[in-house]
Amino acid sequence: NALAAANTNETLQDLEEEMAPKLSEHFDAIYLNDKLFNRIETLYNKRDQLKLDAESAKLLEHYYTNFIFSGANLSAENKEKLKKLNSREATLTTEFSKKVLAAMNDGGVTFDSSEELKGLDTAYLKSFQTKDGKYFIPLINTTQQPDLQYIQNSASRKKLFDASWNRCDGTKNDTKKIIVELVDLRCQKAILLGFANYASWAMQNTMAKTPENVREFFNQLIPAAVGKAQKEAAIIQESMTKSGDNATLTAADWSIYAEKVRKEK
């Protein structure tokens, strides 16, 4: 996984796809093992009598909680259902990652002339020149393409930003069907494990514990974050206008004018 994330290729990706359901089955063979869980549960129920040091007590609690979290208390029939859901989820998650990577690799933008990319360093720009004299700018990261803070042509910025933003939407690497199936699988999994929704199940081992706590946190955070962003947008819009650009600020313009404001301040 570490190698595939850092330096992948088609062979590694195919291997990931092959191994994902097998690793899921291996995980289930441990956490849905009745004899193993019974042993851990026995120790957990006697933990106050075992005179464990703090670290050992925490470790025992950790394993017991993880077994419960993974479905150790389910009936034999429901464990088999869970195994199938987990295996399919592992396969889909791998397919999703593979498509996102392919979309980024395939989603670069071709520009006809260097004038369209004015603002980029000449030597840097030359490295993107193709055999036919055009320029191919690959996608990097997610939506925040580093070149957006240098390209002076607003139409070129929009072209690059839109290609990045929509790289998995409506292309051969579209991920929507995978997302819909994943949501359905995770809903089934949560209900099987006794929860109203996937979020309630997934939040158990986090600091927030419940979706309600997350929502409360966001309700405090979002208004402040949006307010701050609106103030920044007003400053950036002012900078655009001063520079002679009377257009309305868009996401594609943010990087270049935010950088100008940063330098000014």
Side-chain angles (χ1 to χ4, degrees):
N1 285 341
L3 178 60
N7 187 28
T8 194
N9 55 49
E10 286 187 11
T11 302
L12 279 173
Q13 288 172 10
D14 290 343
L15 187 60
E16 275 191 298
E17 207 163 338
E18 178 190 342
M19 292 304 297
K22 293 181 181 180
L23 290 170
S24 173
E25 289 165 15
H26 178 62
F27 180 89
D28 286 340
I30 296 170
Y31 282 94
L32 300 180
N33 183 307
D34 288 333
K35 290 182 179 179
L36 184 56
F37 175 62
N38 287 340
R39 178 62 179 153
I40 290 173
E41 186 176 39
T42 299
L43 291 171
Y44 182 78
N45 290 336
K46 293 166 57 178
R47 63 191 182 281
D48 293 337
Q49 306 162 36
L50 298 177
K51 299 180 181 179
L52 299 173
D53 58 56
E55 290 175 357
S56 298
K58 183 63 180 176
L59 183 63
L60 177 58
E61 180 188 345
H62 169 78
Y63 274 113
Y64 176 76
T65 302
N66 276 1
F67 269 79
I68 297 294
F69 181 79
S70 302
N73 271 335
L74 291 177
S75 66
E77 181 184 356
N78 283 340
K79 281 180 181 178
E80 291 306 311
K81 289 180 182 178
L82 182 61
K83 287 176 184 178
K84 290 178 182 178
L85 293 173
N86 286 341
S87 179
R88 182 59 180 158
E89 182 182 12
T91 298
L92 287 174
T93 302
T94 304
E95 285 179 12
F96 177 85
S97 299
K98 191 175 178 180
K99 279 185 176 289
V100 169
L101 179 61
M104 190 163 73
N105 291 337
D106 297 344
V109 183
T110 299
F111 295 91
D112 294 328
S113 68
S114 59
E115 188 62 28
E116 292 177 271
L117 297 168
K118 188 177 179 181
L120 294 179
D121 178 78
T122 305
Y124 173 72
L125 182 58
K126 197 169 183 178
S127 68
F128 296 124
Q129 193 166 18
T130 58
K131 291 179 180 179
D132 57 3
K134 296 182 180 182
Y135 298 87
F136 180 78
I137 306 295
L139 298 184
I140 299 172
N141 202 342
T142 52
T143 56
Q144 299 303 315
Q145 303 303 316
D147 293 334
L148 288 174
Q149 63 181 297
Y150 304 110
I151 297 172
Q152 294 176 16
N153 185 301
S154 60
S156 297
R157 290 197 300 269
K158 185 177 189 312
K159 191 175 177 180
L160 180 58
F161 181 88
D162 287 349
S164 176
W165 185 260
N166 299 308
R167 65 194 183 283
C168 289
D169 193 4
T171 68
K172 65 179 181 180
N173 296 307
D174 196 296
T175 54
K176 291 194 289 293
K177 285 184 178 179
I178 293 178
I179 292 170
V180 169
E181 189 177 349
L182 270 174
V183 168
D184 182 55
L185 283 174
R186 289 174 175 177
C187 181
Q188 293 181 54
K189 181 175 175 177
I191 292 170
L192 193 64
L193 289 163
F195 290 83
N197 51 61
Y198 183 79
S200 296
W201 174 78
M203 296 301 297
Q204 293 176 84
N205 286 344
T206 66
M207 289 179 67
K209 297 299 183 188
T210 68
E212 290 74 24
N213 287 340
V214 174
R215 178 56 55 197
E216 185 180 349
F217 175 75
F218 279 148
N219 285 341
Q220 296 175 51
L221 176 66
I222 290 171
V226 171
K228 181 68 174 174
Q230 288 171 338
K231 287 179 181 178
E232 289 181 9
I235 294 170
I236 293 169
Q237 181 70 68
E238 185 180 355
S239 175
M240 284 180 66
T241 305
K242 281 182 180 178
S243 67
D245 188 343
N246 293 315
T248 301
L249 173 67
T250 69
D253 303 317
W254 189 284
S255 293
I256 189 168
Y257 286 105
E259 180 63 11
K260 285 183 179 181
V261 171
R262 187 189 69 78
K263 288 179 178 177
E264 287 169 5
K265 289 184 176 291

